[in-house]
Amino acid sequence: MTKAALVTGATGQDGRYLVDLLRRHGYIVHAQSRRAPLPCAVDDGIRWHVGDLASGAFLEQLIAETQPDEIYNLAAVSRPIMSWQVPRENAEINAFLPQNICELVLKHKPAARIFQASSSDIFGDGFNERQNEHTHCVPKSPYGVAKLYSHRIIGAYRKQYGIHACSGILFNHESPYRPLSFVSQKIAYAAAAAASGLKDTPELDERGRPILSDGKLLLGDLGVRRDFGFAGDYAEVMHMILQHPMADDYVIGTGEDHSIQEFCELAFQTVGLDWTHYVSVDPKLIRKTDSHYTHADPGKLRSVFNWRPKVMFPELVATMVEAQVKRVREEMALQRSCSSGMKLT
Ligand code: NAP
């Protein structure tokens, strides 16, 4: 029988990989977003549901009408730094939405399986220890606190009501779909722009300055170390976790950590440049409440599913930079054709 899946936050990085994977597995995919999908995301097998998950009426209708066999809750205020700027929205979506989903599953489809996108930010700082399902949680941002609430609530509902609800504690994962507001994509974009000879990029950072400004990319703490994986691999894991007969929580990470400096070195190396000529540290960008060290211990995922990531750090960085090289070239070609069009008129 054809299975139906509901993916919230389906326009995001992970949503794009997951929706594609579920389509390939023959699911009817119900994809949720707050905005109309781009024409390229519309295909016959995807049913888009446009609405706000903070609205109880919309959420109830979504679950009652779609009757999903599997729910992947990916929607989130997904940047920890943003969670300080929109604290109420962060609490509503990152903390309470998963609980509301559990309640509605109990009411409308108790057999539905739920995957909750939890985060390594629930741990706070790693203090040089690898993090697994038993690591003590001391989150430092509203994002981490809200994700810890939803993480625990998924476990509580599983225990109390016996629903098939799982949390994947996701460590950083990146891809060409990562928004430019994330440091990994900023570095990839800046390397691509520098390789194309740009000194000032059309794309701006949060402070409204070109990401590459006067030939320099400004970053915070280059010593921050993260466990960087590939989003496509993690979408596969989300699906795999829900196929297991026993619901459980899993750390999802590569088991390797790399610094932001290493990301810069590799990114600029991919386009034949020396990163030290292009990257500068701006102390104002150093964040007090970000984790300085995340390093997954994915031992449980390995032993239960025999899982290994397919894409490791060097390939991940190169793929992201190559995608940005294409983007910058297209932007420059468009700019050239616009200015030649203007000259003609
Ligand atoms: P993403 O690209 O930012 O996508 C998240 C989606 O959530 C957005 O496309 C947006 O969709 C929706 N959204 C944002 N704010 C919302 C709000 N206030 N109300 C409802 N929906 C909202 O994030 P991602 O990288 O795909 O991450 C997927 C999930 O994994 C998130 O829950 C994230 O917290 C978690 N996670 C990700 C990472 C990572 O490294 N990527 C690490 C740990 C955990 P619309 O604007 O279309 O509604």
Side-chain angles (χ1 to χ4, degrees), residues 260-317:
I260 300 297
Q261 180 170 319
E262 285 170 61
F263 204 113
C264 293
E265 282 167 16
L266 268 181
F268 283 83
Q269 212 178 75
T270 303
V271 287
L273 298 175
D274 176 351
W275 73 281
T276 57
H277 299 158
Y278 300 92
V279 178
S280 295
V281 171
D282 179 350
K284 286 195 217 86
L285 294 174
I286 295 176
R287 294 178 186 162
K288 281 192 299 218
T289 56
D290 267 14
S291 313
H292 288 93
Y293 181 80
T294 68
H295 185 172
D297 165 10
K300 182 172 168 186
L301 196 64
R302 279 190 190 148
S303 67
V304 176
F305 296 100
N306 195 23
W307 178 79
R308 292 277 184 289
K310 292 184 192 131
V311 179
M312 296 306 285
F313 187 66
E315 189 187 344
L316 174 67
V317 177

Short mmCIF file of all heavy atoms in Angstrom, two decimals, residues 260-317:
data_model
loop_
_atom_site.label_atom_id
_atom_site.label_comp_id
_atom_site.label_asym_id
_atom_site.label_seq_id
_atom_site.Cartn_x
_atom_site.Cartn_y
_atom_site.Cartn_z
N ILE A 260 36.31 25.89 11.85
CA ILE A 260 35.89 26.86 10.83
C ILE A 260 37.12 27.22 9.97
O ILE A 260 37.02 27.38 8.76
CB ILE A 260 35.30 28.14 11.49
CG1 ILE A 260 34.08 27.77 12.35
CG2 ILE A 260 34.93 29.19 10.45
CD1 ILE A 260 32.90 27.18 11.60
N GLN A 261 38.28 27.29 10.61
CA GLN A 261 39.50 27.58 9.83
C GLN A 261 39.75 26.50 8.78
O GLN A 261 40.09 26.80 7.64
CB GLN A 261 40.71 27.70 10.77
CG GLN A 261 41.98 28.00 10.01
CD GLN A 261 43.14 28.36 10.91
OE1 GLN A 261 42.97 29.09 11.88
NE2 GLN A 261 44.31 27.85 10.57
N GLU A 262 39.58 25.24 9.17
CA GLU A 262 39.76 24.16 8.19
C GLU A 262 38.76 24.29 7.04
O GLU A 262 39.08 23.99 5.90
CB GLU A 262 39.57 22.79 8.87
CG GLU A 262 40.73 22.37 9.75
CD GLU A 262 40.36 21.12 10.56
OE1 GLU A 262 40.06 20.08 9.96
OE2 GLU A 262 40.34 21.24 11.79
N PHE A 263 37.53 24.72 7.38
CA PHE A 263 36.52 24.92 6.32
C PHE A 263 37.03 25.98 5.35
O PHE A 263 36.96 25.80 4.12
CB PHE A 263 35.18 25.34 6.96
CG PHE A 263 33.98 25.03 6.10
CD1 PHE A 263 33.05 24.07 6.47
CD2 PHE A 263 33.79 25.69 4.89
CE1 PHE A 263 31.95 23.76 5.67
CE2 PHE A 263 32.69 25.39 4.08
CZ PHE A 263 31.77 24.44 4.47
N CYS A 264 37.57 27.08 5.89
CA CYS A 264 38.09 28.15 5.03
C CYS A 264 39.24 27.64 4.17
O CYS A 264 39.30 27.91 2.96
CB CYS A 264 38.60 29.31 5.89
SG CYS A 264 37.32 30.19 6.78
N GLU A 265 40.18 26.93 4.81
CA GLU A 265 41.37 26.44 4.07
C GLU A 265 40.92 25.64 2.86
O GLU A 265 41.37 25.85 1.73
CB GLU A 265 42.21 25.53 4.97
CG GLU A 265 43.08 26.28 5.97
CD GLU A 265 43.67 25.36 7.06
OE1 GLU A 265 43.66 24.13 6.87
OE2 GLU A 265 44.10 25.90 8.08
N LEU A 266 40.02 24.66 3.12
CA LEU A 266 39.59 23.75 2.05
C LEU A 266 38.77 24.47 0.99
O LEU A 266 38.91 24.19 -0.21
CB LEU A 266 38.73 22.64 2.63
CG LEU A 266 39.44 21.37 3.04
CD1 LEU A 266 38.43 20.37 3.58
CD2 LEU A 266 40.16 20.76 1.83
N ALA A 267 37.90 25.39 1.43
CA ALA A 267 37.02 26.09 0.48
C ALA A 267 37.85 26.92 -0.50
O ALA A 267 37.63 26.85 -1.71
CB ALA A 267 36.04 26.99 1.24
N PHE A 268 38.79 27.68 0.03
CA PHE A 268 39.60 28.53 -0.87
C PHE A 268 40.56 27.68 -1.69
O PHE A 268 40.83 27.98 -2.86
CB PHE A 268 40.32 29.64 -0.07
CG PHE A 268 39.39 30.76 0.30
CD1 PHE A 268 38.57 30.68 1.41
CD2 PHE A 268 39.29 31.89 -0.50
CE1 PHE A 268 37.67 31.71 1.74
CE2 PHE A 268 38.41 32.93 -0.18
CZ PHE A 268 37.60 32.83 0.94
N GLN A 269 41.05 26.58 -1.10
CA GLN A 269 41.91 25.65 -1.84
C GLN A 269 41.17 25.06 -3.06
O GLN A 269 41.76 24.86 -4.11
CB GLN A 269 42.26 24.50 -0.90
CG GLN A 269 43.61 23.86 -1.10
CD GLN A 269 43.77 22.78 -0.02
OE1 GLN A 269 43.16 21.73 -0.13
NE2 GLN A 269 44.54 23.07 1.01
N THR A 270 39.88 24.82 -2.90
CA THR A 270 39.08 24.24 -3.99
C THR A 270 39.13 25.12 -5.24
O THR A 270 39.08 24.63 -6.35
CB THR A 270 37.60 24.06 -3.53
OG1 THR A 270 37.61 23.24 -2.38
CG2 THR A 270 36.72 23.45 -4.59
N VAL A 271 39.22 26.45 -5.02
CA VAL A 271 39.29 27.35 -6.19
C VAL A 271 40.72 27.89 -6.40
O VAL A 271 40.93 28.91 -7.06
CB VAL A 271 38.29 28.53 -6.05
CG1 VAL A 271 36.87 28.05 -6.25
CG2 VAL A 271 38.43 29.23 -4.70
N GLY A 272 41.70 27.20 -5.79
CA GLY A 272 43.11 27.52 -6.03
C GLY A 272 43.58 28.79 -5.35
O GLY A 272 44.53 29.43 -5.80
N LEU A 273 42.95 29.17 -4.23
CA LEU A 273 43.35 30.40 -3.53
C LEU A 273 43.82 30.09 -2.11
O LEU A 273 43.46 29.05 -1.55
CB LEU A 273 42.17 31.38 -3.46
CG LEU A 273 41.61 31.89 -4.79
CD1 LEU A 273 40.38 32.76 -4.55
CD2 LEU A 273 42.67 32.69 -5.57
N ASP A 274 44.59 31.03 -1.54
CA ASP A 274 45.08 30.90 -0.18
C ASP A 274 44.12 31.67 0.75
O ASP A 274 44.02 32.90 0.63
CB ASP A 274 46.50 31.48 -0.11
CG ASP A 274 47.07 31.47 1.29
OD1 ASP A 274 46.32 31.17 2.27
OD2 ASP A 274 48.27 31.78 1.44
N TRP A 275 43.45 30.96 1.64
CA TRP A 275 42.40 31.57 2.47
C TRP A 275 42.89 32.75 3.29
O TRP A 275 42.15 33.69 3.55
CB TRP A 275 41.78 30.53 3.39
CG TRP A 275 42.67 30.11 4.53
CD1 TRP A 275 43.71 29.24 4.47
CD2 TRP A 275 42.62 30.59 5.87
NE1 TRP A 275 44.32 29.12 5.70
CE2 TRP A 275 43.65 29.95 6.58
CE3 TRP A 275 41.80 31.49 6.55
CZ2 TRP A 275 43.89 30.18 7.93
CZ3 TRP A 275 42.04 31.73 7.90
CH2 TRP A 275 43.08 31.07 8.57
N THR A 276 44.18 32.72 3.68
CA THR A 276 44.69 33.77 4.59
C THR A 276 44.64 35.16 3.94
O THR A 276 44.64 36.17 4.63
CB THR A 276 46.13 33.48 5.06
OG1 THR A 276 46.95 33.34 3.90
CG2 THR A 276 46.20 32.19 5.88
N HIS A 277 44.60 35.19 2.60
CA HIS A 277 44.53 36.49 1.93
C HIS A 277 43.11 37.06 1.91
O HIS A 277 42.90 38.21 1.55
CB HIS A 277 45.02 36.38 0.47
CG HIS A 277 46.43 35.93 0.37
ND1 HIS A 277 46.96 35.33 -0.76
CD2 HIS A 277 47.44 35.95 1.29
CE1 HIS A 277 48.23 35.02 -0.54
NE2 HIS A 277 48.53 35.39 0.70
N TYR A 278 42.12 36.24 2.26
CA TYR A 278 40.71 36.65 2.07
C TYR A 278 39.88 36.67 3.36
O TYR A 278 38.82 37.27 3.39
CB TYR A 278 40.02 35.71 1.06
CG TYR A 278 40.68 35.74 -0.28
CD1 TYR A 278 41.69 34.83 -0.61
CD2 TYR A 278 40.34 36.71 -1.22
CE1 TYR A 278 42.33 34.88 -1.83
CE2 TYR A 278 40.98 36.76 -2.45
CZ TYR A 278 41.97 35.84 -2.74
OH TYR A 278 42.60 35.90 -3.95
N VAL A 279 40.36 35.97 4.41
CA VAL A 279 39.53 35.85 5.62
C VAL A 279 40.15 36.66 6.75
O VAL A 279 41.34 36.54 7.02
CB VAL A 279 39.40 34.36 6.04
CG1 VAL A 279 38.58 34.24 7.32
CG2 VAL A 279 38.77 33.54 4.92
N SER A 280 39.32 37.46 7.41
CA SER A 280 39.78 38.19 8.61
C SER A 280 38.82 37.93 9.75
O SER A 280 37.63 37.69 9.52
CB SER A 280 39.79 39.70 8.37
OG SER A 280 40.72 40.02 7.39
N VAL A 281 39.35 38.02 10.96
CA VAL A 281 38.49 37.83 12.13
C VAL A 281 37.99 39.19 12.60
O VAL A 281 38.76 40.14 12.70
CB VAL A 281 39.28 37.12 13.26
CG1 VAL A 281 38.47 37.13 14.56
CG2 VAL A 281 39.62 35.70 12.85
N ASP A 282 36.68 39.24 12.83
CA ASP A 282 36.08 40.45 13.43
C ASP A 282 35.59 40.05 14.83
O ASP A 282 34.63 39.28 14.95
CB ASP A 282 34.91 40.93 12.57
CG ASP A 282 34.23 42.16 13.16
OD1 ASP A 282 34.55 42.50 14.32
OD2 ASP A 282 33.40 42.75 12.47
N PRO A 283 36.25 40.53 15.88
CA PRO A 283 35.88 40.10 17.25
C PRO A 283 34.40 40.34 17.56
O PRO A 283 33.82 39.64 18.38
CB PRO A 283 36.77 40.95 18.15
CG PRO A 283 37.88 41.42 17.27
CD PRO A 283 37.35 41.49 15.87
N LYS A 284 33.77 41.31 16.85
CA LYS A 284 32.34 41.59 17.11
C LYS A 284 31.47 40.39 16.69
O LYS A 284 30.32 40.27 17.11
CB LYS A 284 31.89 42.83 16.34
CG LYS A 284 32.40 44.13 16.93
CD LYS A 284 31.62 45.30 16.34
CE LYS A 284 32.48 46.50 16.12
NZ LYS A 284 33.21 46.56 14.86
N LEU A 285 32.01 39.54 15.85
CA LEU A 285 31.21 38.40 15.35
C LEU A 285 31.38 37.15 16.23
O LEU A 285 30.78 36.12 15.96
CB LEU A 285 31.59 38.06 13.91
CG LEU A 285 31.25 39.15 12.88
CD1 LEU A 285 31.80 38.80 11.50
CD2 LEU A 285 29.73 39.33 12.79
N ILE A 286 32.20 37.25 17.26
CA ILE A 286 32.39 36.08 18.14
C ILE A 286 31.17 35.95 19.05
O ILE A 286 30.78 36.92 19.72
CB ILE A 286 33.71 36.20 18.94
CG1 ILE A 286 34.88 36.15 17.95
CG2 ILE A 286 33.81 35.08 19.99
CD1 ILE A 286 36.25 36.34 18.54
N ARG A 287 30.55 34.77 19.03
CA ARG A 287 29.30 34.58 19.78
C ARG A 287 29.55 33.91 21.11
O ARG A 287 30.17 32.84 21.16
CB ARG A 287 28.35 33.72 18.95
CG ARG A 287 27.90 34.44 17.69
CD ARG A 287 27.02 33.54 16.88
NE ARG A 287 26.69 34.15 15.61
CZ ARG A 287 26.24 33.49 14.58
NH1 ARG A 287 26.05 32.19 14.65
NH2 ARG A 287 25.96 34.11 13.47
N LYS A 288 29.01 34.54 22.16
CA LYS A 288 29.23 34.02 23.52
C LYS A 288 28.52 32.69 23.76
O LYS A 288 28.99 31.85 24.49
CB LYS A 288 28.67 35.03 24.55
CG LYS A 288 29.55 36.21 24.79
CD LYS A 288 29.06 36.98 26.00
CE LYS A 288 27.65 37.47 25.78
NZ LYS A 288 27.24 38.71 26.23
N THR A 289 27.33 32.55 23.14
CA THR A 289 26.49 31.41 23.53
C THR A 289 26.47 30.30 22.50
O THR A 289 25.70 29.36 22.63
CB THR A 289 25.04 31.87 23.80
OG1 THR A 289 24.58 32.54 22.64
CG2 THR A 289 24.96 32.79 25.00
N ASP A 290 27.32 30.39 21.48
CA ASP A 290 27.39 29.26 20.53
C ASP A 290 28.25 28.15 21.14
O ASP A 290 29.17 28.42 21.92
CB ASP A 290 28.05 29.71 19.22
CG ASP A 290 27.01 30.16 18.21
OD1 ASP A 290 25.86 30.38 18.62
OD2 ASP A 290 27.37 30.29 17.03
N SER A 291 27.96 26.90 20.77
CA SER A 291 28.82 25.81 21.22
C SER A 291 30.17 25.96 20.51
O SER A 291 30.22 26.28 19.33
CB SER A 291 28.22 24.47 20.80
OG SER A 291 26.87 24.43 21.13
N HIS A 292 31.25 25.75 21.26
CA HIS A 292 32.56 25.85 20.63
C HIS A 292 33.03 24.52 20.10
O HIS A 292 33.96 24.44 19.30
CB HIS A 292 33.57 26.41 21.64
CG HIS A 292 33.34 27.85 21.88
ND1 HIS A 292 32.56 28.31 22.90
CD2 HIS A 292 33.72 28.94 21.17
CE1 HIS A 292 32.48 29.62 22.83
NE2 HIS A 292 33.16 30.02 21.79
N TYR A 293 32.38 23.46 20.55
CA TYR A 293 32.86 22.14 20.14
C TYR A 293 31.67 21.19 20.05
O TYR A 293 30.97 20.97 21.04
CB TYR A 293 33.85 21.63 21.19
CG TYR A 293 34.44 20.28 20.88
CD1 TYR A 293 35.50 20.16 19.98
CD2 TYR A 293 33.94 19.13 21.47
CE1 TYR A 293 36.04 18.92 19.69
CE2 TYR A 293 34.48 17.88 21.19
CZ TYR A 293 35.54 17.79 20.30
OH TYR A 293 36.07 16.57 20.01
N THR A 294 31.39 20.67 18.86
CA THR A 294 30.41 19.59 18.75
C THR A 294 31.07 18.45 18.00
O THR A 294 31.76 18.66 16.99
CB THR A 294 29.11 20.01 18.01
OG1 THR A 294 29.41 20.27 16.64
CG2 THR A 294 28.45 21.24 18.63
N HIS A 295 30.92 17.27 18.52
CA HIS A 295 31.57 16.10 17.94
C HIS A 295 30.70 14.90 18.30
O HIS A 295 30.64 14.51 19.47
CB HIS A 295 32.98 15.97 18.51
CG HIS A 295 33.79 14.87 17.89
ND1 HIS A 295 35.12 14.70 18.14
CD2 HIS A 295 33.46 13.89 17.02
CE1 HIS A 295 35.57 13.66 17.47
NE2 HIS A 295 34.58 13.15 16.79
N ALA A 296 30.03 14.36 17.30
CA ALA A 296 29.07 13.28 17.58
C ALA A 296 29.75 11.95 17.85
O ALA A 296 30.79 11.64 17.27
CB ALA A 296 28.14 13.11 16.37
N ASP A 297 29.13 11.21 18.72
CA ASP A 297 29.47 9.80 18.87
C ASP A 297 28.27 9.02 18.31
O ASP A 297 27.31 8.74 19.03
CB ASP A 297 29.69 9.49 20.35
CG ASP A 297 29.68 7.99 20.63
OD1 ASP A 297 29.70 7.20 19.66
OD2 ASP A 297 29.63 7.61 21.82
N PRO A 298 28.31 8.68 17.01
CA PRO A 298 27.14 8.05 16.40
C PRO A 298 27.15 6.53 16.56
O PRO A 298 26.63 5.80 15.71
CB PRO A 298 27.27 8.44 14.91
CG PRO A 298 28.75 8.60 14.70
CD PRO A 298 29.39 8.91 16.02
N GLY A 299 27.75 6.04 17.65
CA GLY A 299 27.92 4.60 17.86
C GLY A 299 26.60 3.83 17.82
O GLY A 299 26.52 2.74 17.26
N LYS A 300 25.53 4.42 18.40
CA LYS A 300 24.25 3.72 18.44
C LYS A 300 23.67 3.57 17.01
O LYS A 300 23.20 2.49 16.63
CB LYS A 300 23.28 4.51 19.34
CG LYS A 300 21.92 3.87 19.50
CD LYS A 300 21.14 4.63 20.56
CE LYS A 300 19.69 4.26 20.60
NZ LYS A 300 18.93 5.12 21.52
N LEU A 301 23.75 4.65 16.25
CA LEU A 301 23.26 4.62 14.86
C LEU A 301 24.04 3.56 14.06
O LEU A 301 23.47 2.83 13.25
CB LEU A 301 23.46 6.01 14.25
CG LEU A 301 22.71 6.36 12.99
CD1 LEU A 301 21.21 6.36 13.23
CD2 LEU A 301 23.14 7.75 12.50
N ARG A 302 25.35 3.51 14.31
CA ARG A 302 26.19 2.53 13.60
C ARG A 302 25.80 1.12 13.99
O ARG A 302 25.69 0.23 13.13
CB ARG A 302 27.67 2.74 13.96
CG ARG A 302 28.25 3.83 13.16
CD ARG A 302 29.77 3.89 13.32
NE ARG A 302 30.22 5.14 12.70
CZ ARG A 302 31.24 5.85 13.10
NH1 ARG A 302 31.97 5.44 14.12
NH2 ARG A 302 31.57 6.95 12.48
N SER A 303 25.60 0.89 15.30
CA SER A 303 25.37 -0.50 15.69
C SER A 303 23.97 -0.97 15.32
O SER A 303 23.79 -2.10 14.91
CB SER A 303 25.70 -0.74 17.17
OG SER A 303 24.78 -0.05 17.94
N VAL A 304 22.97 -0.09 15.38
CA VAL A 304 21.60 -0.53 15.05
C VAL A 304 21.41 -0.62 13.53
O VAL A 304 20.79 -1.55 13.03
CB VAL A 304 20.55 0.42 15.67
CG1 VAL A 304 19.14 0.05 15.26
CG2 VAL A 304 20.66 0.41 17.19
N PHE A 305 21.96 0.35 12.79
CA PHE A 305 21.67 0.41 11.34
C PHE A 305 22.90 0.15 10.47
O PHE A 305 22.81 0.18 9.25
CB PHE A 305 21.12 1.79 10.97
CG PHE A 305 19.80 2.11 11.60
CD1 PHE A 305 19.72 2.91 12.74
CD2 PHE A 305 18.61 1.61 11.07
CE1 PHE A 305 18.50 3.21 13.33
CE2 PHE A 305 17.39 1.92 11.65
CZ PHE A 305 17.33 2.72 12.77
N ASN A 306 24.05 -0.05 11.11
CA ASN A 306 25.29 -0.20 10.36
C ASN A 306 25.50 0.99 9.43
O ASN A 306 25.92 0.85 8.28
CB ASN A 306 25.26 -1.51 9.56
CG ASN A 306 26.64 -1.87 9.07
OD1 ASN A 306 27.65 -1.42 9.65
ND2 ASN A 306 26.71 -2.65 7.99
N TRP A 307 25.19 2.18 9.92
CA TRP A 307 25.21 3.39 9.08
C TRP A 307 26.60 4.02 9.05
O TRP A 307 27.29 4.09 10.06
CB TRP A 307 24.20 4.40 9.62
CG TRP A 307 24.21 5.68 8.82
CD1 TRP A 307 23.61 5.89 7.61
CD2 TRP A 307 24.84 6.93 9.17
NE1 TRP A 307 23.84 7.19 7.19
CE2 TRP A 307 24.58 7.84 8.12
CE3 TRP A 307 25.61 7.36 10.27
CZ2 TRP A 307 25.06 9.16 8.14
CZ3 TRP A 307 26.07 8.67 10.28
CH2 TRP A 307 25.79 9.55 9.23
N ARG A 308 26.98 4.46 7.88
CA ARG A 308 28.20 5.27 7.71
C ARG A 308 27.87 6.43 6.78
O ARG A 308 27.15 6.22 5.79
CB ARG A 308 29.32 4.47 7.02
CG ARG A 308 29.90 3.32 7.84
CD ARG A 308 30.96 3.85 8.82
NE ARG A 308 31.60 2.78 9.55
CZ ARG A 308 31.05 2.04 10.50
NH1 ARG A 308 29.79 2.24 10.83
NH2 ARG A 308 31.72 1.10 11.13
N PRO A 309 28.35 7.64 7.06
CA PRO A 309 28.08 8.75 6.11
C PRO A 309 28.74 8.48 4.76
O PRO A 309 29.83 7.91 4.71
CB PRO A 309 28.71 9.97 6.79
CG PRO A 309 29.62 9.44 7.85
CD PRO A 309 29.17 8.05 8.20
N LYS A 310 28.07 8.90 3.69
CA LYS A 310 28.67 8.68 2.36
C LYS A 310 29.58 9.85 1.98
O LYS A 310 30.54 9.68 1.27
CB LYS A 310 27.55 8.59 1.31
CG LYS A 310 26.70 7.33 1.45
CD LYS A 310 25.68 7.26 0.31
CE LYS A 310 24.66 6.19 0.61
NZ LYS A 310 23.28 6.65 0.44
N VAL A 311 29.21 11.05 2.46
CA VAL A 311 29.97 12.25 2.08
C VAL A 311 30.72 12.77 3.31
O VAL A 311 30.10 13.09 4.32
CB VAL A 311 29.03 13.35 1.54
CG1 VAL A 311 29.80 14.61 1.17
CG2 VAL A 311 28.24 12.84 0.34
N MET A 312 32.04 12.84 3.20
CA MET A 312 32.82 13.35 4.33
C MET A 312 33.27 14.79 4.04
O MET A 312 33.03 15.33 2.96
CB MET A 312 34.01 12.43 4.63
CG MET A 312 33.60 11.03 5.09
SD MET A 312 32.45 11.00 6.52
CE MET A 312 33.55 11.41 7.88
N PHE A 313 33.92 15.38 5.02
CA PHE A 313 34.20 16.82 5.03
C PHE A 313 34.84 17.37 3.73
O PHE A 313 34.31 18.34 3.17
CB PHE A 313 35.06 17.12 6.26
CG PHE A 313 35.31 18.56 6.51
CD1 PHE A 313 34.29 19.42 6.87
CD2 PHE A 313 36.60 19.07 6.42
CE1 PHE A 313 34.52 20.76 7.12
CE2 PHE A 313 36.85 20.40 6.67
CZ PHE A 313 35.81 21.25 7.02
N PRO A 314 35.93 16.79 3.23
CA PRO A 314 36.55 17.43 2.05
C PRO A 314 35.61 17.46 0.84
O PRO A 314 35.51 18.48 0.15
CB PRO A 314 37.77 16.53 1.76
CG PRO A 314 38.03 15.80 3.03
CD PRO A 314 36.70 15.62 3.71
N GLU A 315 34.87 16.38 0.64
CA GLU A 315 33.94 16.34 -0.51
C GLU A 315 32.78 17.32 -0.30
O GLU A 315 32.33 17.99 -1.23
CB GLU A 315 33.40 14.91 -0.68
CG GLU A 315 32.62 14.73 -1.95
CD GLU A 315 31.94 13.38 -2.06
OE1 GLU A 315 32.30 12.44 -1.30
OE2 GLU A 315 31.05 13.27 -2.89
N LEU A 316 32.33 17.39 0.95
CA LEU A 316 31.22 18.30 1.28
C LEU A 316 31.60 19.75 0.96
O LEU A 316 30.87 20.47 0.28
CB LEU A 316 30.87 18.15 2.77
CG LEU A 316 29.85 19.11 3.34
CD1 LEU A 316 28.47 18.85 2.73
CD2 LEU A 316 29.77 18.98 4.85
N VAL A 317 32.78 20.16 1.43
CA VAL A 317 33.22 21.54 1.22
C VAL A 317 33.38 21.81 -0.28
O VAL A 317 32.90 22.82 -0.81
CB VAL A 317 34.54 21.82 1.98
CG1 VAL A 317 35.04 23.24 1.70
CG2 VAL A 317 34.37 21.61 3.48
#
